[in-house]
Amino acid sequence: MLRIHFSDGDLARTRVAAAPDPVWEIAASLHRLQSRKGRWAFAGWHRTARQQLREKGLERVLRSVLLPLYPRAAYFPDFLTPADAVGDFDSGMESIVATPPRRVLAELAVLDRTVGAPAWAGQLTGLEARKEFVGMLRAYHAAVVAPYEEQAQARIEAERAARCRGLLDGGVEGMLSGLGPMLRWRPPVLEVSYPKQTGERDLYLDGRGLTLVPSYFNWGEPVAFADPQLPPVLWYSLLHEPSKPDAPYGSDAVERPLITLLGRARAVALRAAATGATTAELARAAGVSASSASRHATALRDAGLITTVRHGPAVLHTLTPAGASLLRAGTGGPG
C-alpha cells in the first residue's frame, strides 16, 4: 500500500489533469501488452496494436528495447515518465533526452536490482543513445497510442466532470473520496492500492500538492514515482473490472429493475455513460448500431438522465445528477 499524506496546503494544491499524459500512456500500453489482466477492456486495441507494430516494423524494437525497459513489475525507471509530460508529448520526449546521465545510471541500477536491466541499458547515459531511444518511442506512440488520443481525452473529460461534482458537493476531500476502488480517502491520508511486491510506502506531500492523472491504458493499481523527491503525481485507471469479470462490459452489469424501466439497450447506455462515453462507445456497449445508439442517447437526454457535449468531431455523454441517482438506485453502480 502507498499512503499519501496531505496537509491543508496540499489539499489546496491538488488537481486533476486536464489532458492525458501521453508519455505515461506509452508505459501503460506496454504493460497491457505484457498482461492478460483487463484484456476484455482492451481487446480491440490489442489486436490493432499488434497489427500496427507488425506493419510498421516495430516488433523487434518492442521485444528488445521497450518491453525490457518498461517491465510490468514493481519498478521501472522514473525518467521514462517525466512529470512535465501531462498533455504535452514533445515536452516529455525532450525531458527524457535531457535527463542527466547520473540519474539515468542510478535508476537503471534500481531496475537491474529489482527485475534485471538489459545488458545494453547503460548506453542510455549517452545523449545520442537517448535521442535514438526517443525516436523509437515516437514511432511506437504514433502506431498504437496516438490513434486513441480522442477516446482518452473524452474519458478524461468525463472523469473530470465526475470529480468536479465531488468537489462541488464536498470540496477537495469530497473529490478524493470518489476516486475509485483502488484509492481510499482516510483524512488526512489517501490510501492507494499498490503491487504487493513494492511493500508499504509513505509519501509526504510537504505542501507540494498532488496531480491526479486519469489514465486510459492503466489497469489495476495506480502508480506514483518511486523517487519521493520528484513532483507528486498519481496516475490511476479509468477502467475497472465489471461486477462479473467474465461478462462483457454492459451486459450483465445492469440489474433487472433498470432494464425493466428503460429497456436493455437504454439501461446499458446509461451504465456506459457513468464513465463518459461517445455515441460509438454506447453502440458497442449496447450491441446496437450507431444510429440506434444516437436515438437512445437522445431519449435519455430528453429525460434528463444524461448530458451531451461536443468534443472535436465526437460527442461525449455523461450522467446528470438525476441519471446518477437512477443508476445508483437501479444497479448499486457508480454515480
Side-chain angles (χ1 to χ4, degrees):
M1 176 180 291
L2 170 66
R3 291 176 293 268
I4 303 177
H5 298 259
F6 286 75
S7 66
D8 289 344
D10 293 312
L11 289 173
R13 293 179 178 88
T14 292
R15 67 186 185 94
V16 179
D21 179 343
V23 183
W24 167 256
E25 296 300 343
I26 289 176
S29 68
L30 287 165
H31 293 164
R32 299 286 62 74
L33 293 173
Q34 298 175 64
S35 173
R36 296 194 64 83
K37 289 186 177 181
R39 182 67 60 85
W40 64 269
F42 299 98
W45 171 83
H46 191 273
R47 288 191 299 270
T48 302
R50 287 293 187 184
Q51 179 181 349
Q52 286 297 307
L53 291 168
R54 186 166 53 252
E55 291 179 357
K56 303 293 186 183
L58 293 171
E59 288 182 308
R60 182 176 176 276
V61 167
L62 177 71
R63 289 192 306 269
S64 62
V65 179
L66 300 183
L67 295 182
L69 283 178
Y70 294 85
R72 188 177 178 275
Y75 177 84
F76 65 91
D78 287 335
F79 80 87
L80 297 176
T81 53
D84 60 357
V86 176
D88 193 335
F89 179 66
D90 288 333
S91 290
M93 294 295 99
E94 291 168 6
S95 291
I96 292 175
V97 172
T99 306
R102 181 177 297 180
R103 178 183 169 190
V104 174
L105 192 61
E107 293 185 4
L108 289 175
V110 176
L111 177 65
D112 196 39
R113 291 195 303 270
T114 307
V115 295
W120 51 263
Q123 298 176 25
L124 290 175
T125 57
L127 179 60
E128 292 306 314
R130 290 199 302 280
K131 288 181 178 179
E132 183 180 357
F133 171 68
V134 160
M136 297 175 188
L137 290 181
R138 288 184 178 276
Y140 174 86
H141 178 269
V144 303
V145 177
Y148 289 81
E149 285 180 340
E150 181 181 316
Q151 293 96 312
Q153 183 65 49
R155 289 282 188 182
I156 285 182
E157 291 292 344
E159 172 69 5
R160 280 168 57 84
R163 299 287 70 80
C164 183
R165 187 180 301 155
L167 180 68
L168 292 174
D169 290 342
V172 177
E173 293 189 87
M175 180 182 75
L176 293 172
S177 297
L179 284 172
M182 297 287 180
L183 302 105
R184 178 177 296 180
W185 175 242
R186 294 182 182 274
V189 176
L190 182 65
E191 295 180 346
V192 183
S193 295
Y194 233 52
K196 292 180 181 179
Q197 60 267 38
T198 64
E200 300 286 317
R201 284 183 57 199
D202 288 275
L203 173 61
Y204 293 87
L205 299 179
D206 295 329
R208 296 173 295 173
L210 179 68
T211 299
L212 295 159
V213 185
S215 172
Y216 185 80
F217 285 109
N218 193 61
W219 183 262
E221 295 94 347
V223 179
F225 285 125
D227 184 350
Q229 301 305 312
L230 291 172
V233 178
L234 185 69
W235 295 272
Y236 67 98
S237 175
L238 289 170
L239 293 171
H240 304 284
E241 289 287 355
S243 55
K244 296 182 179 180
D246 295 331
Y249 176 75
S251 59
D252 295 330
V254 181
E255 299 297 334
R256 180 59 53 187
L258 199 60
I259 294 176
T260 301
L261 178 65
L262 298 175
R264 193 198 71 84
R266 287 180 189 172
V268 171
L270 187 70
R271 177 69 177 82
T275 53
T278 64
T279 302
E281 289 170 334
L282 294 185
R284 286 195 295 271
V288 298
S289 67
S291 59
S292 292
S294 181
R295 289 195 295 272
H296 291 313
T298 298
L300 292 171
R301 185 170 57 252
D302 290 346
L305 300 178
I306 67 171
T307 185
T308 302
V309 295
R310 180 160 293 280
H311 181 76
V315 294
L316 178 69
H317 309 286
T318 57
L319 296 180
T320 64
S325 297
L326 178 61
L327 184 62
R328 185 165 53 243
T331 70

